Amino acid sequence: DDTEEWESMNNTSMLEESFMDADDFLGTQCTTLHRGHAKKCLLLTRLPSVLCFHVQRRYYDPVRDTMCKAMQHVAFPETLDLRSHCAYGGQSCSWVGQTTSPVQTTRSESVRGIKPILYRLMSVIEHRGNAHAGHYQAYRRAPEASAPKEWVLVSDLDVTPLQWKDVQRAQAYMLFYEKI
């Protein structure tokens, strides 16, 4: 089911893919090929001051022979901790460079004791419309904002104060995070 597949990718561990019963692969310390479980993950080595995530919402529907827009909501946090996706979190992670297979150590085990690497959501771009036409609007953190109206919705000439709960309902197209 497409909805279940989309929801399963809808979390911060989307940077990892698990491969079960994959084709033969060469182990990190093995000299022979063998069949087994493998995990592919993206690890960051140098972090930028601003992170930009693009949510791919357009897809091709071969049955209708047209481009469509995925309308599912994608949850996003206001604060993002990237230490579990970093090869180095101010210090060497426990499995980076170790001699045993990284499959034996989970990322959550390897980030214990490492200082959080935090990013704060600064802006969300939303596309209203379908795959062929529409309108873009931006939710952005208000400069020098005071709670609870710390966000604004900018759409053409209109600027509307909002709360975080309103931003969370946005159908995110792009997310901009700034290093704290």
Side-chain angles (χ1 to χ4, degrees), residues 11-140:
N11 59 45
T12 56
S13 65
M14 69 184 174
L15 296 176
E16 295 184 358
E17 294 179 47
S18 291
F19 297 95
M20 306 304 277
D21 298 323
D23 292 333
D24 291 342
F25 66 95
L26 183 62
T28 55
Q29 296 296 315
C30 300
T31 56
T32 61
L33 294 175
H34 60 87
R35 181 173 295 276
H37 301 288
K39 183 179 263 191
K40 172 185 168 185
C41 66
L42 170 68
L43 293 178
L44 305 169
T45 56
R46 289 182 288 166
L47 295 172
S49 58
V50 175
L51 287 171
C52 175
F53 294 100
H54 172 241
V55 179
Q56 180 62 356
R57 293 201 170 269
R58 286 177 43 119
Y59 66 94
Y60 177 72
D61 183 350
V63 173
R64 297 189 313 202
D65 191 31
T66 188
M67 293 300 291
C68 295
K69 180 179 176 184
M71 302 296 282
Q72 293 88 348
H73 182 263
V74 175
F76 48 89
E78 189 170 17
T79 304
L80 189 62
D81 184 354
L82 288 184
R83 71 181 147 178
S84 64
H85 299 290
C86 292
Y88 315 101
Q91 56 186 317
S92 176
C93 292
S94 65
W95 65 267
V96 173
Q98 76 184 50
T99 58
T100 60
S101 171
V103 175
Q104 296 172 359
T105 305
T106 65
R107 292 296 295 153
S108 61
E109 291 171 351
S110 68
V111 296
R112 279 191 216 130
I114 297 176
K115 187 173 138 184
I117 302 170
L118 300 176
Y119 281 79
R120 183 172 148 188
L121 184 65
M122 297 304 288
S123 182
V124 178
I125 307 298
E126 177 181 57
H127 179 262
R128 295 282 179 134
N130 60 33
H132 305 288
H135 176 72
Y136 290 95
Q137 54 189 24
Y139 296 82
R140 69 177 298 260

